[in-house]
Amino acid sequence: MAIQSLRTSDCIDEVLSKYSDMVYRVALAHVNTKHNAEDIFQEVFLAFISKPRTFNDEEHLKAWLIRVTINRSRSLMSTAWFRKTEPLDDRLIFETVEETDLFEYLSLLPLKYRSVIHLFYGEGLPVNQISKILNARESTVRSWLTRARAILREKLKGGYFCE
């Protein structure tokens, strides 16, 4: 069953409520600041609302939203304005010190590793779906996951999360 051009306000509200957190988290994982993540969030849903699209199923819609979020994040990060400005200290406040530390360690990872870690653990996507979203081979995604885990294990050694 194809999801037709979800243009009614009820459908838009449903998609927003269902996927808004996911889009924001993916954007935040890529740009590391809440202000830029909010801008990307708005751009993604503006793109969704502005042009009628047909999606094959919920997974197709979710993959489209993730792909557009990643593309918008990369576009922002490649602009001269973004490269030549210093970010404000707008650190996110989490409920525990451990969560704050984990977010900071994740933000130190290279983007490709941060992306796969977030999509795999944060969004619960399988490797084959991540490979389609990132346009990479499944073996490459598995390698990135392995390398990201190794980097995190080394950074977190002796910290909160390791034995």
Side-chain angles (χ1 to χ4, degrees), residues 111-122 130 134 140-141 144-145 148:
L111 182 58
K112 62 185 175 184
Y113 298 155
R114 198 168 57 229
S115 296
V116 295
I117 287 287
H118 178 77
L119 293 174
F120 188 78
Y121 292 107
I130 295 170
L134 297 179
T140 303
V141 171
W144 289 346
L145 277 169

Side-chain angles (χ1 to χ4, degrees), residues 5-96:
S5 64
L6 304 165
R7 308 258 295 151
T8 66
S9 62
D10 290 340
C11 290
I12 292 170
D13 289 343
E14 182 180 330
V15 170
L16 269 168
S17 66
K18 188 170 185 178
Y19 295 108
S20 61
D21 289 341
M22 178 198 68
V23 168
Y24 181 78
R25 287 189 310 263
V26 170
L28 185 61
H30 279 79
V31 295
N32 286 335
T33 65
K34 60 184 177 183
H35 301 296
N36 289 334
E38 290 167 358
D39 289 344
I40 290 168
F41 173 88
Q42 291 177 7
E43 288 179 26
V44 168
F45 283 106
L46 183 61
F48 173 75
I49 293 168
S50 65
K51 184 178 176 188
R53 290 175 178 76
T54 301
F55 299 98
N56 298 332
D57 54 19
E58 288 289 324
E59 287 300 314
H60 183 212
L61 170 62
K62 183 177 179 179
W64 184 87
L65 289 169
I66 292 171
R67 183 77 247 159
V68 171
T69 304
I70 291 170
N71 288 343
R72 299 290 167 123
S73 299
R74 286 181 179 164
S75 293
L76 174 69
M77 291 171 40
S78 67
T79 62
W81 175 84
F82 187 82
R83 289 190 313 263
K84 293 181 181 183
T85 57
E86 287 294 319
L88 295 173
D89 187 20
D90 62 347
R91 294 182 193 173
L92 292 172
I93 307 299
F94 293 94
E95 291 183 20
T96 64

Side-chain angles (χ1 to χ4, degrees), residues 126-154:
V127 170
N128 63 347
Q129 196 169 3
I130 295 170
S131 70
K132 290 176 187 172
I133 290 171
L134 297 179
N135 295 324
R137 292 179 164 173
E138 286 184 35
S139 59
T140 303
V141 171
R142 284 192 292 274
S143 294
W144 289 346
L145 277 169
T146 301
R147 291 177 190 154
R149 289 177 189 130
I151 291 169
L152 286 173
R153 189 175 304 115
E154 188 61 34

